[in-house]
Amino acid sequence: MKIPLFWPAIYKDEWLDELGKVFNTRWIGQGPLVDEFERQFGDKFGFDYCLSMNSGTSALELAYHLIGIQSGDEVLTPVFTCTATNIPLARRGAKLNFLDINERFVVDFEDVKKKISKHTKALVVVTVGGIRIEDKVFELAKNLNIPVVIDAAQSVGIPEQQGDYVCYSFQAIKHFTTGDGGMLIVRNKEEYKRAKKLRWFGIDREAKKRADWKWTVNHEMALDIEEHGYKYHMNDIA
């Protein structure tokens, strides 16, 4: 008997109805629905700082950027995960130190304890199938002041209160999908403000709103980029 592993839930009538409302407005890019989605996601799962992204991979990439991972930095990461977890690290030239997994398919605490050191720039853990990481993994990293990134791509619906960055995925085969998309959770207001600009090239979109979208002011703001960013934002269609 064949068992389908990936069968996305499609709510065609409901989706078409909601999309019709979007197409009756001028917002098909990042607009008020994105803001509302972030607010509802945070309210439902107890997060203060939610940043919707165009993919879970973008969420990971931005988390690595916020940490400041550069060429030669050592990062501990599981040997068992999707390539999306580690490709952004490899592109940065990070030195990947692979961690064994335990019988629950998540990082093995004893191997983390053996390999983590003062040279470790970050620890990445993956909640495969929604399986939680042991608290003592986070406690060890916290005691050593090492940031932890949770790749929670398969764990939408599990509100992670551990870790410094949580990266969710809403890709097509996930049990909650926006076609493609993701969410980055950060833990403090300053990083939230920084990440919000970085997901849109480094441009302060909030300043544009405050200027009432006046072109002359907008043009000057678009050139006033303090840190090079990306194009990682979600849109109202998603």
Side-chain angles (χ1 to χ4, degrees), residues 29-82:
Q30 182 186 337
L33 282 184
V34 169
D35 296 337
E36 178 65 11
F37 178 45
E38 292 173 345
R39 186 191 66 77
Q40 289 197 27
F41 193 90
D43 287 348
K44 187 171 182 64
F45 299 121
F47 296 127
D48 293 325
Y49 303 108
C50 302
L51 291 139
S52 57
M53 313 291 286
N54 57 23
S55 71
T57 305
S58 292
L60 286 163
E61 181 82 71
L62 187 49
Y64 299 154
H65 181 108
L66 291 169
I67 293 171
I69 296 170
Q70 298 179 355
S71 179
D73 287 338
E74 180 189 78
V75 178
L76 302 186
T77 185
V79 70
F80 181 61
T81 184
C82 171

Side-chain angles (χ1 to χ4, degrees), residues 57-75 84-96 121-122 124 149 194 198 227-230 232:
T57 305
S58 292
L60 286 163
E61 181 82 71
L62 187 49
Y64 299 154
H65 181 108
L66 291 169
I67 293 171
I69 296 170
Q70 298 179 355
S71 179
D73 287 338
E74 180 189 78
V75 178
T85 307
N86 293 322
I87 283 178
L89 293 168
R91 287 199 308 104
R92 289 174 174 272
K95 178 185 175 184
L96 303 184
K121 183 75 173 183
V124 180
V149 177
R194 182 185 173 203
L198 283 171
E227 183 178 6
H228 297 142
Y230 305 90
Y232 285 165

Side-chain angles (χ1 to χ4, degrees), residues 117-134:
S117 74
K118 63 180 181 180
H119 302 295
T120 304
K121 183 75 173 183
L123 168 63
V124 180
V125 296
V126 182
T127 50
V128 177
I131 299 170
R132 289 188 180 277
I133 309 299
E134 295 174 280

